Amino acid sequence: MIGLDVGSTAAKMVWIESGGLKFRITSTHNWKELVEGIDGDEIISTGYFRNSVPHRASLTELTAAIYGVRHYFPDAEVIVDIGGQDTKVIDVRNNNFIINDKCSAGTGAFLEFVANYFKIELNELGSMHAMAKRIPDINNTCGVFALSEMISQLVGGYSKEEVIAGMHYAFARRISYMIPQAHKVVLIGGTVKNEGMVAALMDVLNIDVLIPDEPQIINALGALKYYS
Amino acid sequence: MPVKKIGITALVPPELIFSCGVTPFDVNNVIPASRKYPGNKLCAWTAIWKDMLVKKEIEVDSLVVVAGGDCHNALVDGQKAAMSGIPTHFFFYPFDGDPEYLGSQLHRLSLFLGGIKSPEKFKEIGELKKQGQLLDKKRCSGKLSSSEAFRILISFSDLAGDLAGFSMIISDLQEKDIEVRNRVALIGVPPIFHDFHETAQSLDLQIVFDELPYEFIRHGGSNIQEIAVNYCGYTFARPLEFRIDFLKNELKRRRVDGVIHYTQFACHHMLEDEVLREKLDYPMLTIQGDLPGNTPQQVKLRLEAFREMLDRQ
């Protein structure tokens, strides 16, 4: 049996082999490569495309996130799943959830805009953030207008690294409003691999957060766990 | 001479309208399937009926706008419709539930409509509303699907403008045998998505309570004085605590497992969400709609996740 999470930007597959967890990640449009030779009856699917891929059973990424996170952190209170097109916050304590998907400012797509503007890879944002000496204020919560503000800060003399750090803080403030007070907050999703964004979020929330070793596969793992 | 068609923008006692020898037409009922995208808007509900009235895509002889104790956007959009030349009357419910005040509003409305000519309509509509309450009971026990129940109950605001025809529609309904699991209440204004109930049903969520349509079938009376007393219980017009007390009883009576609070973009009801979440002790899903059409994928995801959450309870 495998867990398959086909999200808005990436497809992730998880399976258990010799008692250990194995996984593969590819871009969404290449999801078929992941399941080549695998019978649909062996697949538990989740993610945006959960019902478009062959599957034995499917579940939403919200439920998958709960089961996946419990594997690593059984006493997690709040899960923040920062995906390519939305951010989901699940309060495990009372089975409540909120999804932000009407605005790009709290999604991976927002940080993609930033990387594209600077003509750098998405995964370089974190290391550039670490080089910032000052953090400019970028207050606009609209992704498009935040980009205009970012350009103004560059004109005003801030370095590329500092402006990137400022954008991470703008992002963190945007999603912090969705996160209820809790001691055990777990971050998952591909965007969580950006250390700069995580540092900004911890600073804004003023708490330590928990992050699984491979935060991008948690929902695929959760799908597998849910039906195991 | 053809019977005059009176546009109504929210709950206006249909007993009074029919008894004045004119027929009501709820301008909201055409919106979910309209595919209209208004330019300058806050709430799409009022913006669309205003646009359609001004452009004569909805043709009425005159308009009654519920402007007090319900929708505040309607007060402005109703005036815009009035400025286009439609004879318009503004109707106000009392926030404090004063039946004397509502009585005076109903008298003024009856004068606008030309005075009471067929008082027997009060009783006739009362009988139809009894049938509506029976349908509401049937959907709670799975003898009627929630989508069919909603389609009929929502039409009680204007009784489709045809009492005999509407009665036949009710009589023609076939009983079903539906397994009612995941009993949910739908509170707030009705969703602007035309297939919302079917969508919820397909995701194994059975709506056993539609808050606003229930208001359409539970008030009545045999004359102005009686309806003035009775319609003072219209919860949307009253303080939030009054509505919450009413909701608590209904949710308990219908043994709901969870509550879906539909909020319309730019509607003042959005501000009530946090209070309802605090006061109603049920799992609650808040969704928001803006423009009419099919239920969007993002909303379907939330509904499905809510169903999974209820399964885990």
Side-chain angles (χ1 to χ4, degrees):
Chain A
M1 198 70 77
I2 67 157
L4 179 67
D5 171 15
V6 187
S8 60
T9 51
K12 295 78 77 174
M13 181 172 92
V14 167
W15 71 100
I16 308 285
E17 194 176 295
S18 313
L21 199 69
K22 307 283 180 192
F23 67 89
R24 282 176 64 198
I25 301 174
T26 187
S27 57
T28 289
H29 55 268
N30 289 328
W31 67 269
K32 282 185 184 164
E33 292 172 7
L34 290 182
V35 295
E36 215 171 309
I38 298 173
D39 191 316
D41 212 32
E42 292 291 303
I43 298 171
I44 310 300
S45 64
T46 186
Y48 273 175
F49 292 87
R50 64 189 176 285
N51 292 322
S52 311
V53 301
H55 59 270
R56 174 191 190 133
S58 71
L59 68 158
T60 65
E61 48 273 43
L62 289 113
T63 301
I66 294 171
Y67 282 79
V69 164
R70 274 188 191 150
H71 178 77
Y72 293 102
F73 307 108
D75 52 355
E77 293 173 333
V78 171
I79 300 167
V80 183
D81 180 357
I82 308 172
Q85 296 299 319
D86 63 23
T87 291
K88 304 180 186 79
V89 176
I90 306 160
D91 191 335
V92 184
R93 296 166 298 186
N94 58 15
N95 242 338
N96 205 352
F97 61 86
I98 317 171
I99 309 177
N100 156 42
D101 60 9
K102 285 203 172 64
C103 165
S104 71
T107 73
F110 174 75
L111 297 178
E112 242 177 85
F113 290 143
V114 178
N116 283 343
Y117 178 80
F118 288 113
K119 305 262 184 300
I120 58 173
E121 293 298 317
L122 201 53
N123 60 16
E124 291 175 79
L125 289 174
S127 53
M128 295 188 81
H129 175 110
M131 288 188 261
K133 292 190 172 60
R134 302 172 297 167
I135 312 283
D137 278 337
I138 293 171
N139 296 318
N140 216 306
T141 53
C142 164
V144 176
F145 289 119
L147 282 178
S148 310
E149 210 177 327
M150 175 180 92
I151 295 162
S152 304
Q153 298 291 11
L154 286 169
V155 171
Y158 282 100
S159 69
K160 180 164 69 172
E161 291 79 5
E162 288 167 342
V163 167
I164 286 170
M167 293 300 269
H168 283 149
Y169 270 87
F171 180 97
R173 279 193 295 274
R174 183 78 178 86
I175 62 169
S176 68
Y177 299 121
M178 299 167 66
I179 304 173
Q181 283 214 327
H183 297 294
K184 304 232 164 167
V185 176
V186 181
L187 304 186
I188 62 170
T191 307
V192 173
K193 292 179 178 176
N194 175 340
E195 307 97 326
M197 189 282 294
V198 172
L201 187 60
M202 286 205 288
D203 193 19
V204 170
L205 292 175
N206 198 23
I207 56 166
D208 281 332
V209 293
L210 302 163
I211 302 176
D213 290 342
E214 180 40 84
Q216 206 172 0
I217 62 157
I218 298 304
N219 292 348
L221 171 65
L224 184 62
K225 289 268 166 191
Y226 187 66
Y227 277 89
S228 309
Chain B
M1 195 170 146
V3 175
K4 282 191 175 169
K5 186 171 162 187
I6 311 298
I8 54 170
T9 66
L11 178 60
V12 180
E15 295 87 349
L16 184 61
I17 302 175
F18 277 103
S19 71
C20 290
V22 291
T23 56
F25 179 80
D26 188 334
V27 293
N28 296 291
N29 288 350
V30 298
I31 291 174
S34 70
R35 309 265 170 186
K36 297 280 181 189
Y37 306 115
N40 181 17
K41 74 166 186 68
L42 285 175
C43 160
W45 281 108
T46 67
I48 292 174
W49 59 245
K50 181 265 295 173
D51 271 4
M52 292 179 81
L53 285 165
V54 170
K55 291 176 186 164
K56 310 277 182 222
E57 290 168 356
I58 298 175
E59 293 208 49
V60 294
D61 294 295
S62 54
L63 180 67
V64 178
V65 176
V66 178
D70 190 357
C71 173
H72 301 179
N73 292 334
L75 181 61
V76 178
D77 279 328
Q79 289 176 78
K80 289 181 182 172
M83 285 172 197
S84 77
I86 302 169
T88 303
H89 178 82
F90 292 88
F91 183 78
F92 294 80
Y93 280 99
F95 183 65
D96 62 1
D98 176 7
E100 270 188 43
Y101 175 85
L102 187 54
S104 70
Q105 282 289 312
L106 292 166
H107 275 293
R108 286 186 58 220
L109 175 60
S110 72
L111 291 177
F112 175 75
L113 299 174
I116 293 177
K117 298 179 183 72
S118 314
E120 72 280 4
K121 295 293 178 191
F122 281 91
K123 197 175 168 203
E124 196 178 336
I125 291 170
E127 291 304 316
L128 277 173
K129 287 189 174 180
K130 278 183 195 161
Q131 290 187 49
Q133 295 199 10
L134 273 177
L135 296 181
D136 188 43
K137 270 188 191 151
K138 281 185 182 176
R139 64 96 160 266
C140 282
S141 56
K143 289 181 181 155
L144 193 63
S145 71
S146 64
S147 54
E148 269 185 307
F150 175 74
R151 183 171 58 83
I152 300 292
L153 298 186
I154 196 79
S155 301
F156 265 90
S157 60
D158 61 7
L159 300 115
D162 172 9
L163 298 184
F166 193 61
S167 176
M168 286 198 25
I169 292 171
I170 294 175
S171 314
D172 287 347
L173 285 172
Q174 301 290 315
E175 279 206 3
K176 305 275 188 329
D177 186 14
I178 300 165
E179 187 191 355
V180 187
R181 297 190 305 155
N182 300 317
R183 305 167 68 89
V184 295
L186 179 59
I187 65 170
V189 297
I192 201 163
F193 315 125
H194 66 83
D195 62 350
F196 186 82
H197 284 71
E198 288 84 351
T199 303
Q201 220 165 282
S202 71
L203 296 170
D204 210 8
L205 290 166
Q206 189 76 17
I207 297 170
V208 295
F209 179 54
D210 284 289
E211 185 186 9
L212 188 62
Y214 188 56
E215 295 293 321
F216 296 168
I217 58 169
R218 75 182 188 94
H219 304 291
S222 55
N223 53 48
I224 284 190
Q225 289 71 32
E226 278 186 27
I227 62 170
V229 172
N230 211 288
Y231 275 82
C232 276
Y234 173 37
T235 55
F236 272 34
R238 299 296 304 280
L240 202 44
E241 280 156 339
F242 179 91
R243 181 171 155 219
I244 288 168
D245 284 344
F246 178 79
L247 283 174
K248 280 181 178 170
N249 282 332
E250 280 305 316
L251 303 183
K252 190 176 172 191
R253 187 165 77 85
R254 294 166 194 257
R255 294 177 288 113
V256 307
D257 301 309
V259 174
I260 298 172
H261 183 204
Y262 175 81
T263 61
Q264 176 67 26
F265 175 74
C267 172
H268 71 279
H269 284 293
M270 279 170 69
L271 301 172
E272 296 166 347
D273 188 62
E274 59 182 317
V275 183
L276 293 169
R277 280 179 170 273
E278 190 193 323
K279 302 283 184 187
L280 299 176
D281 193 18
Y282 292 86
M284 192 181 293
L285 170 71
T286 305
I287 53 176
Q288 191 181 96
D290 186 6
L291 294 166
N294 296 324
T295 305
Q297 282 302 326
Q298 309 94 293
V299 172
K300 287 183 184 172
L301 169 67
R302 286 161 172 77
L303 291 173
E304 197 174 344
F306 189 60
R307 198 275 325 287
E308 289 174 350
M309 193 201 81
L310 293 179
D311 284 345
R312 289 198 301 275
Q313 292 278 333

